Amino acid sequence: MTRPYNFSAGPAAMPESVLRLAAVEMLDWQGSGMSVMEMSHRGKAFMSICETAERDLRELLAVPSQFRILFMQGGGLAENAIVPLNLSRGGAVDFVVTGGWSQKSAKEANKYATARIAASNEADGHTSLPTPASWKLGKDAQYVHLCSNETIHGVEFHELPDLKALGCDAPLVIDFSSHVASRPVDWSRVGLAFGGAQKNLGPAGLTLVVVREDLLGHALAVCPSAFDYKTVADNGSMYNTPPTYAIYMAGLTFQWLKRQTAGGLSGVAAIEQQNKAKAELLYSFIDNSQFYQNKVAKDCRSRMNIPFFLRDEARNEAFLSGAQAAGLLQLKGHKSVGGMRASIYNAMPLEGVQALVSYMREFEMTQA
Ligand SMILES: *Cc1c(COP(=O)(O)O)cnc(C)c1O
């Protein structure tokens, strides 16, 4: 059986070998007589699954020891509230708006704090990144929030800002939902990173939070206990029942990631090389075409989410139905942007992008 290529923005394609291993282990995990879904989260078997997942993730992302790794629930959208509940102290927060997700984050934070827009690329339709030197960061900001990869608009920070160098002592919060584990993270510039699992790590239901220890313990009194980072950290992510099966699946994905190699590199460094090659293939095809178009500035184009347009939008329906027939799924763009979007996360093999480019070339020829 060959599976079609799934370009969904999320929930997204998972590595086939991970799905196959999960299928083998579905009814009986390693002689336990139970599916992982049926295990007590405090039992020995699941505790070992969870600890291994956390250790592998720490190794893969080179997370320093002064950061805690939390497995939570609620997704990126819940974190839009949970972060200000924990970090804002009810004060002011500066947002760098670079697309739909950071815009949403600012709006939600404003319920619990004073959300200020320090910079925005709204004027150019979210197709560029405002240079950090132009950001209006307040001295009283409790933290600065940005979305390091805008899933809808296809804008990615290829370097995180050095807030200290900008004269700002506030911690940087990043929403890395849609490019976590696709590239290394410079933790020296980050106070907290969060992301839903369903794009690059595993199934929906698990939310990853990586937080510097000194930021724990400042939650507002109204913060739900299950969302207080300190409570979650003190209880090893088991204050409430964690999303056990999603953690297990993410753990299998981490092991798959550790096995990746490319040009003498392994793990995240290897997958980064693969991701670069995949993105370059698609962008260079689009840029060399008179038929297709990508509108994002070249220095901040996402390696994960590539929105593109047919110059003649009357052909959109034919493009999508032909793609579906060719085994290329979920290419329709987000409703707020239109056109097409190819999400090519870690689990998308190079062959999938090659198949997409071949289809795009053929489609153009049939339309001449
Ligand atoms: C998908 C996504 C979210 C929302 O995640 P949910 O799990 O649906 O809450 C937030 N931020 C970014 C950047 C995303 O890509």
Side-chain angles (χ1 to χ4, degrees):
M1 181 187 84
T2 62
R3 305 177 79 230
Y5 294 113
N6 176 5
F7 293 90
S8 170
M14 303 238 335
E16 188 170 331
S17 63
V18 166
L19 297 175
R20 289 189 186 282
L21 179 53
V24 167
E25 294 185 333
M26 177 58 77
L27 296 184
D28 178 8
W29 183 79
Q30 301 191 2
S32 66
M34 284 179 281
S35 171
V36 174
M37 281 183 232
E38 303 170 303
M39 291 176 179
S40 163
H41 58 297
R42 302 193 193 282
K44 231 172 148 174
F46 184 73
M47 291 290 269
S48 80
I49 289 172
C50 193
E51 281 163 17
T52 305
E54 186 181 328
R55 198 176 337 110
D56 285 343
L57 182 67
R58 190 176 285 278
E59 180 188 326
L60 279 165
L61 292 184
V63 178
S65 59
Q66 73 272 28
F67 283 78
R68 302 296 297 266
I69 291 175
L70 311 180
F71 294 139
M72 298 181 68
Q73 298 181 64
L77 284 184
E79 290 302 324
N80 283 344
I82 297 170
V83 173
L85 279 165
N86 277 275
L87 265 52
S88 76
R89 303 180 199 222
V93 180
D94 285 338
F95 284 83
V96 179
V97 171
T98 55
W101 286 113
S102 44
Q103 212 158 33
K104 257 198 172 131
S105 299
K107 197 167 170 218
E108 183 74 7
N110 208 41
K111 290 183 180 176
Y112 309 100
T114 304
R116 300 183 301 214
I117 307 302
S120 172
N121 65 354
E122 198 171 358
D124 64 31
H126 306 299
T127 58
S128 68
L129 281 184
T131 52
S134 72
W135 301 355
K136 296 193 168 49
L137 303 174
K139 285 272 172 249
D140 57 341
Q142 297 297 319
Y143 64 91
V144 177
H145 175 117
L146 61 81
C147 177
S148 46
N149 183 64
E150 288 280 2
T151 322
I152 295 171
H153 291 90
V155 172
E156 182 170 9
F157 280 85
H158 292 295
E159 190 187 3
L160 291 174
D162 181 355
L163 293 187
K164 280 226 162 51
L166 297 169
C168 174
D169 290 325
L172 178 68
V173 171
I174 64 170
D175 173 358
F176 68 170
S177 296
S178 54
H179 73 166
V180 53
S182 72
R183 58 189 303 154
V185 176
D186 183 351
W187 293 106
S188 74
R189 297 184 172 185
V190 174
L192 183 148
F194 70 81
Q198 70 270 28
K199 278 111 188 194
N200 240 345
L201 301 181
L206 168 65
T207 314
L208 171 67
V209 175
V210 183
V211 56
R212 221 172 55 207
E213 244 156 16
D214 62 286
L215 300 176
L216 301 174
H218 306 294
L220 298 178
V222 296
C223 180
S225 307
F227 291 156
D228 181 330
Y229 292 139
K230 183 163 183 350
T231 303
V232 178
D234 287 349
N235 288 279
S237 296
M238 301 220 185
Y239 173 73
N240 59 334
T241 311
T244 52
Y245 198 75
I247 290 172
Y248 157 73
M249 291 295 285
L252 295 185
T253 307
F254 300 155
Q255 284 165 20
W256 171 83
L257 260 176
K258 284 174 72 173
R259 290 194 299 272
Q260 299 302 302
T261 54
L265 302 167
S266 65
V268 168
I271 206 83
E272 181 183 36
Q273 294 311 310
Q274 297 174 27
N275 288 331
K276 270 188 190 165
K278 282 154 35 186
E280 272 164 28
L281 176 63
L282 186 49
Y283 281 120
S284 71
F285 173 75
I286 292 170
D287 287 343
N288 286 313
S289 151
Q290 300 301 310
F291 193 83
Y292 303 100
Q293 182 184 19
N294 171 280
K295 299 178 182 175
V296 178
K298 286 192 177 167
D299 63 348
C300 58
R301 285 174 166 182
S302 171
R303 292 178 191 155
M304 298 279 102
N305 310 97
I306 304 183
F308 64 91
F309 299 86
L310 277 61
R311 287 181 197 259
D312 176 3
E313 298 233 276
R315 302 177 200 263
N316 283 359
E317 284 310 313
F319 179 88
L320 285 168
S321 57
Q324 172 99 18
L328 307 168
L329 309 183
Q330 309 253 35
L331 284 163
K332 193 176 167 117
H334 189 271
K335 59 184 185 300
S336 68
V337 173
M340 309 297 156
R341 173 174 50 169
S343 294
I344 52 173
Y345 298 117
N346 287 351
M348 175 61 66
L350 178 64
E351 293 74 28
V353 181
Q354 288 167 336
L356 174 60
V357 167
S358 298
Y359 168 72
M360 288 169 73
R361 189 178 287 122
E362 278 162 32
F363 181 78
E364 179 176 348
M365 278 166 5
T366 63
Q367 302 292 304

